[in-house]
Amino acid sequence: MAEFLVTTTEHVPGHNYEVIGEVFGVTTQSRNMISDLGAGLKSLVGGEIKGYTKMLQTSRENAIERMKDEALAKNADAIVMMRFDSGSIATDMQSVVAYGTAVRFVD
């Protein structure tokens, strides 16, 4: 994919734009049972659970790509005010959503 601007700010310096609308990218992932067992053991002694950290990082990257795809399908030039939200589903799944406002440059 060519370079596509995604920013957490409202304004893009040097550009005026029109708002196209909201865009979202969602992914839900789960670790396998062996990883969950290892995470449970790790929680007894404390520290980072690297398998879950990697899963969440991958989830964020996937959510951003899906959000970009939706914006490109709407002929957007950028996404402003990008944010993340996440939540647990049951005890072993994590859902991550990236969302923002798709815009088209008018200058």
Side-chain angles (χ1 to χ4, degrees), residues 50-107:
K50 293 181 182 182
Y52 281 105
T53 300
K54 181 173 175 26
M55 180 184 74
L56 287 173
Q57 181 63 36
T58 300
S59 295
R60 287 172 59 123
E61 291 168 3
N62 290 342
I64 288 173
E65 287 305 312
R66 290 175 181 173
M67 178 185 63
K68 286 180 181 180
D69 289 344
E70 185 176 334
L72 286 168
K74 295 180 178 188
N75 295 315
D77 294 315
I79 297 170
V80 297
M81 299 297 294
M82 193 282 295
R83 301 286 187 263
F84 286 107
D85 197 3
S86 64
S88 297
I89 301 172
T91 58
D92 62 344
M93 291 178 272
Q94 186 71 30
S95 182
V96 175
V97 61
Y99 61 96
T101 303
V103 300
R104 185 175 302 116
F105 295 137
V106 294
D107 49 11

